[in-house]
Amino acid sequence: MPKTILTNVRCFAVAADLTTVSNKVELSAEVEAKDTTNYGSAGWKENLGGLGSAEISAEGQWEAGDPSKVDDASWSQLGGVGPWSVSANNDASVGSLAYFTSALRADYKLGDAVGEVAPWTGTAKSSWPLVRGQFAHPPGTARTATGTGTGLNLGAVALNKRMYAALHVLSVAGTTPSITARVESSVDNTFASPTTRLTFTAATVVGGQIQRTAGTAITDTWWRIAWTISGTTPSFLFAATLGIG
């Protein structure tokens, strides 16, 4: 990706797409530097990496009225932990760059002076690592039947690394609708004999989930999201991100 002006950052907080009500999103990640300097350090400080942390902060224009609006989502999520996914500066299409984590909704602020556009600000603090990955399902494509997503060549998972996956169910319609999403891997892009690596809990309402593998090595290099849908005239909008961390 070349140098860019930020015009199209996508931000998904659990079940809310904050893209059209946010005008600033910042991500940060750090590892504590623990001093281990000693008499054998030859006059130079030595450090070991301690605990890691990440943070997502955002702000924009306030809206309320249903679970997809920033105020409803912020109040329901405050103090709770869930998935957050942020694009680099793209439309969240399959294969585009994504940063995501499981995060605590730590604070929420709203209100300003008379005559101002009603604002909001909020911060989410990580419970899991901030993962650099890709979008595996676009938010604007409605799914009404069981299916599979596009394969992504994300590479093998080394020992003690994990495949991370976030799911944002943004809208649900129909009678008794249900969607069960899963993460599949394959040795190549044909997915002739895919292996299910992660399975999300069946979702019947809007919400978000995040999962990760156990830390064992996986030699498959191709990955995709797949889903099973049931109900009468069901329809789901959802976004999904995958990445190795």
Side-chain angles (χ1 to χ4, degrees):
M1 180 179 290
K3 295 177 182 177
T4 183
I5 301 297
L6 294 176
T7 59
N8 193 27
V9 174
R10 305 297 304 270
C11 182
F12 303 94
V14 190
D17 182 352
L18 302 182
T19 305
T20 61
V21 293
S22 59
N23 54 21
K24 184 177 181 180
V25 180
E26 295 181 334
L27 297 88
S28 62
E30 65 179 4
V31 175
E32 291 180 335
K34 294 296 186 179
D35 194 325
T36 59
T37 309
N38 54 74
Y39 288 122
S41 298
W44 287 88
K45 282 192 173 183
E46 293 186 37
N47 290 280
L48 290 177
L51 296 177
S53 64
E55 181 176 297
I56 300 172
S57 59
E59 60 186 61
Q61 301 90 25
W62 179 90
E63 286 185 342
D66 65 61
S68 68
K69 304 298 185 183
V70 63
D71 190 67
D72 301 66
S74 296
W75 279 113
S76 65
Q77 296 165 12
L78 193 62
V81 176
W84 284 65
S85 297
V86 179
S87 76
N89 190 29
N90 51 52
D91 58 0
S93 58
V94 173
S96 58
L97 184 59
Y99 300 89
F100 64 101
T101 187
S102 178
L104 168 72
R105 188 60 175 264
D107 62 67
Y108 174 58
K109 179 182 177 181
L110 66 157
D112 205 333
V114 62
E116 298 297 329
V117 175
W120 67 273
T121 62
T123 304
K125 297 182 181 292
S126 65
S127 293
W128 283 5
L130 182 65
V131 179
R132 186 180 188 272
Q134 296 179 22
F135 281 94
H137 190 274
T141 300
R143 299 298 183 181
T144 59
T146 297
T148 57
T150 303
L152 299 171
N153 187 4
L154 299 176
V157 179
L159 183 64
N160 297 322
K161 294 290 186 179
R162 303 171 188 259
M163 170 57 68
Y164 290 79
L167 174 70
H168 305 271
V169 179
L170 305 172
S171 73
V172 179
T175 303
T176 63
S178 177
I179 182 171
T180 302
R182 62 188 182 276
V183 178
E184 295 180 342
S185 69
S186 174
V187 296
D188 57 34
N189 62 350
T190 66
F191 285 87
S193 300
T195 301
T196 297
R197 300 296 180 177
L198 297 167
T199 301
F200 293 98
T201 301
T204 58
V205 296
V206 297
Q209 301 178 49
I210 189 166
Q211 293 198 25
R212 58 187 176 185
T213 56
T216 55
I218 300 173
T219 58
D220 288 352
T221 57
W222 283 82
W223 301 82
R224 71 182 181 186
I225 289 285
W227 57 89
T228 301
I229 290 178
S230 61
T232 303
T233 63
S235 182
F236 294 87
L237 288 175
F238 65 94
T241 48
L242 299 176
I244 298 171

